[in-house]
Amino acid sequence: MTDPTGGALDGIRLLDLSTQPGQYAGRLLADLGADTIKVEPPGGDAMRRVGPFEGDVAGPETSLTWRYFNANKRSVTCNLDLPAGQRLLRELARDADVVIESYGPSYMESRGVGFEALRAVRPDLVYVSISGFGREGPHAGWQATELIAQAASGVLTLSGDPAGAPQMLGANQACITASLSAAQGALLAVFHKERTGEGQLVEVSMQEALAIAQETAMQQWDFQRTSRERQGEIPTLPGLGAYATRDGYVYSMVGGPAGASWSELVDWLIEEGAGGELVAGHEAAFRALNMATAVQALRNPVKAAEFGALMPIARETLAAFFATRASREIYEEGQRRRLLIGMVSTPKELMESPQLRARDWRLPVGGDGAAADLPGPPYRLSATPATVRRAAPAIGEHNREVWLEEVGIAPEEFAALVAEGAI
């Protein structure tokens, strides 16, 4: 039974058997209207035990991580380690358009519910498989955690201070990137299916999905035979880099290739009386601390010495100026002056952002028991917008609805399967 949402994927049924690397993919497609059934083991998906937890009380129904990644989904339980559970999944797949799983190569096949087995009951099925390294090659069977995927992708070598060890990126970037690639692949395969009637296997490697975050590092090796190294925070021009404010941080790109010039920032300092003796005694030289002068200084030892002597003083002056002001004040005044200065936003500031509020970025959660809005997707469809129609489900919340009413299991068989541990 598909909810009458009018979403872009209304009429598409998705079975989400994914672990952490794929649950955002299911959420993205569910937001677009796909009837998404989360198939979890009888005790609940492992992600239900990932914090943070509401009220700091750990439990399968209090995980905020679970609630975010599984909104808009229905939940059924199914034990794939039992023949009866495997049979149930094959029955459920008869009416499915897409399956997403991230157990890794051979897991589903060993239980008789892999791509070929499910395609036997649904020939036009789109089957999305997410794994650490793909389904082929010498590493195909290897397991991958978030950290392993980041390391294997190469992106980890670019993260962190040059003087220290590589630092893990925050917010499970490998899992998120793999999910984005899986959702994209699923949409392309569904489009192909609607044109030709042909289903297919969509394969996503976490290593390959995140490798693109290195941008041109691999091309640098191809052409120059040199590996890009960690840069950290390089002290260059005073208008470039992160600065502490009264309540957080801003990031400045003043003096770069776009936006108003460094001289405009100097005008701001003078107007606020924040330039001190530096501006008063060396205003011309102070204003000349820009990219063009820096390039000239590289060719002239005398100019380089003068330039180098002013640089730390200019950075200290600017740091002292920013430290007395709030991040939003600096950001908004900087924007008014066309200076490239951005706020380093916290989650609280994002959720309270007037820009994001004006665009209705926060999506209200439908269904009972909803306590908060959820961040919306980064795209807007004018005719078929993404919506949050229901809160994340409790364990097996929709067992009766799906197994009895939609699959058609008799009540007595349902009771027996529950007793057996198959549901």
Side-chain angles (χ1 to χ4, degrees):
M1 179 180 67
T2 302
D3 292 334
T5 62
L9 297 181
D10 189 26
I12 297 294
R13 170 167 283 190
L14 163 67
L15 304 186
D16 184 353
L17 289 97
S18 64
T19 55
Q20 191 166 4
Q23 292 196 18
Y24 187 48
R27 163 73 197 278
L28 287 172
L29 302 180
D31 287 357
L32 291 172
D35 175 25
T36 303
I37 300 175
K38 182 74 182 91
V39 182
E40 35 182 343
D45 190 281
M47 203 166 178
R48 290 180 176 274
R49 291 158 182 83
V50 176
F53 299 96
E54 182 180 11
D56 290 329
V57 178
E61 308 298 351
T62 57
S63 166
L64 300 182
T65 302
W66 168 265
R67 290 183 185 178
Y68 175 74
F69 286 108
N70 292 280
N72 272 339
K73 302 177 186 179
R74 298 190 288 164
S75 168
V76 301
T77 54
C78 183
N79 190 341
L80 297 182
D81 291 328
L82 296 180
Q86 298 158 11
R87 176 178 59 82
L88 283 171
L89 184 63
R90 288 191 290 268
E91 287 296 318
L92 189 58
R94 292 184 187 277
D95 293 321
D97 298 286
V98 181
V99 167
I100 297 179
E101 59 89 5
S102 56
Y103 285 109
S106 79
Y107 180 92
M108 298 287 281
E109 284 77 7
S110 68
R111 287 155 177 79
V113 288
F115 172 54
E116 295 297 341
L118 296 187
R119 188 165 66 165
V121 299
R122 179 73 187 226
D124 62 348
L125 182 69
V126 171
Y127 187 102
V128 182
S129 174
I130 304 170
S131 60
F133 301 96
R135 298 168 73 92
E136 299 173 340
H139 298 170
W142 291 16
Q143 296 298 308
T145 62
E146 172 68 27
L147 180 56
I148 289 172
Q150 287 191 24
S153 74
V155 71
L156 195 65
T157 193
L158 303 179
S159 176
D161 190 274
Q167 296 294 310
M168 182 176 176
L169 304 177
N172 293 313
Q173 294 302 314
C175 291
I176 294 294
T177 306
S179 272
L180 290 170
S181 299
Q184 180 184 40
L187 290 172
L188 292 170
V190 167
F191 177 70
H192 175 78
K193 167 184 171 177
E194 291 184 344
R195 288 191 301 114
T196 67
E198 180 184 24
Q200 61 183 301
L201 172 66
V202 177
E203 191 186 346
V204 175
S205 155
M206 293 172 69
Q207 179 188 34
E208 295 169 10
L210 191 59
I212 193 63
Q214 297 179 88
E215 297 177 342
T216 58
M218 287 171 283
Q219 284 69 38
Q220 179 175 319
W221 172 258
D222 283 342
F223 286 99
Q224 299 179 1
R225 282 297 186 265
T226 60
S227 293
R228 187 170 297 173
E229 298 180 354
R230 295 189 299 284
Q231 299 298 309
E233 184 68 34
I234 304 174
T236 54
L237 296 173
L240 304 178
Y243 285 90
T245 67
R246 192 175 67 209
D247 58 357
Y249 289 88
V250 293
Y251 200 91
S252 173
M253 289 290 290
V254 178
S261 69
W262 164 255
S263 189
E264 175 65 31
L265 183 52
V266 174
D267 288 339
W268 186 7
L269 291 173
I270 293 173
E271 290 172 22
E272 296 284 345
E277 295 181 1
L278 175 66
V279 175
H282 308 275
E283 184 172 337
F286 193 65
R287 287 185 181 278
L289 293 176
N290 54 39
M291 191 69 74
T293 308
V295 172
Q296 294 172 10
L298 291 175
R299 305 190 183 102
N300 187 320
V302 175
K303 285 187 176 294
E306 295 173 351
F307 192 86
L310 278 177
M311 285 274 286
I313 303 172
R315 273 196 293 270
E316 290 171 12
T317 302
L318 188 56
F321 174 67
F322 283 152
T324 62
R325 288 157 175 79
S327 297
R328 183 166 294 281
E329 174 191 351
I330 297 169
Y331 169 61
E332 292 182 352
E333 178 62 18
Q335 289 294 302
R336 190 185 72 78
R337 294 173 178 270
R338 297 183 62 251
L339 294 167
L340 289 182
I341 301 175
M343 275 179 60
V344 180
S345 298
T346 64
K348 176 180 182 294
E349 288 163 340
L350 279 174
M351 295 301 279
E352 296 176 353
S353 164
Q355 170 67 17
L356 296 178
R357 282 184 180 276
R359 287 177 52 78
D360 294 325
W361 178 66
R362 293 170 58 168
L363 297 179
V365 179
D368 297 332
D373 297 345
L374 292 176
Y379 45 76
R380 302 298 173 94
L381 282 69
S382 61
T384 54
T387 59
V388 182
R389 304 175 304 281
R390 65 171 86 236
I395 299 174
E397 180 179 339
H398 303 93
N399 273 340
R400 288 186 171 275
E401 181 179 304
V402 172
W403 295 127
L404 293 173
E405 300 174 20
E406 298 174 22
V407 176
I409 295 174
E412 57 275 12
E413 183 184 0
F414 177 81
L417 289 167
V418 170
E420 182 184 350
I423 293 179

